[in-house]
Structures are given as C-alpha cells and as structure tokens.
Amino acid sequence: MQIDKSPFFRKAIIPWYASDTACLIKAVVMLVVVLFGLDGIKVARQIDAYNDYVWVPIMLFVLSVIVFVVNLIRLIKRYTGSSAM
C-alpha cells in the first residue's frame, strides 16, 4: 500500500505491525521457528515411522524462512533510507 506523500501534512503513520519493534520481534520469532523446523526435519528423518510426515517441518521451515527474509528486506530498506517500498 503506497502512502500519499504530501508536503502539507505531517509524517506518515506506520502501522503497528510494520514498526521497528514489531519487525525485530517478528525476526527473532521466525529465527526460532526456523531452528525448530530444522530440528523437526532431523528428527523426522531419523525415525522411520515419521518419514511420511517430513513434509510438515519442511513446510514450517520454508514458510518461516520466507517471512524472515521479507521482514529482513523491510528492515534493511527502512534503515538504509530506501523509499521504494
């Protein structure tokens, strides 16, 4: 969503879910979920009874990596001053 940049009004308000604090918390939580997914993949491959269900931790890992990377890009753009969001 593009915010209208008008010089007549004060600074645009950033939604709470896109604030610096929320992005940092989200990055830490996703990093923990990535590690949990990696551990789940390792356990599912070691136990023969769980080999059919290895897709669950793989999906958890992939989705959390996507969220982490998108969040990291958002933080990098914010701290470098890029306005192409």
Side-chain angles (χ1 to χ4, degrees), residues 2 6 10-12 14-15 35-37 45 49 57-58 73 81-82 84:
Q2 294 290 345
S6 176
R10 61 181 178 259
K11 188 175 174 182
I14 299 173
L35 295 174
F36 183 71
R45 288 183 186 260
I58 289 174
I73 291 170
S82 298

Side-chain angles (χ1 to χ4, degrees), residues 67-80 85:
V67 172
F68 181 78
V69 168
V70 168
N71 193 33
L72 191 64
I73 291 170
R74 178 181 287 167
L75 283 172
I76 289 171
K77 282 183 180 179
R78 183 169 300 155
Y79 285 122
T80 58
M85 265 179 101

Side-chain angles (χ1 to χ4, degrees), residues 1-80:
M1 181 171 117
Q2 294 290 345
I3 298 174
D4 187 23
K5 297 186 191 275
S6 176
F8 299 111
F9 299 104
R10 61 181 178 259
K11 188 175 174 182
I13 299 172
I14 299 173
W16 67 269
Y17 54 85
S19 67
D20 290 339
T21 306
C23 285
L24 290 174
I25 291 171
K26 194 180 348 175
V28 169
V29 169
M30 285 299 111
L31 191 59
V32 170
V33 174
V34 165
L35 295 174
F36 183 71
L38 286 174
D39 195 40
I41 293 169
K42 184 177 80 171
V43 169
R45 288 183 186 260
Q46 286 177 352
I47 301 173
D48 291 333
Y50 297 150
N51 281 339
D52 293 339
Y53 304 108
V54 75
W55 65 271
V56 176
I58 289 174
M59 176 104 53
L60 181 69
F61 172 75
V62 168
L63 292 175
S64 59
V65 164
I66 290 170
V67 172
F68 181 78
V69 168
V70 168
N71 193 33
L72 191 64
I73 291 170
R74 178 181 287 167
L75 283 172
I76 289 171
K77 282 183 180 179
R78 183 169 300 155
Y79 285 122
T80 58

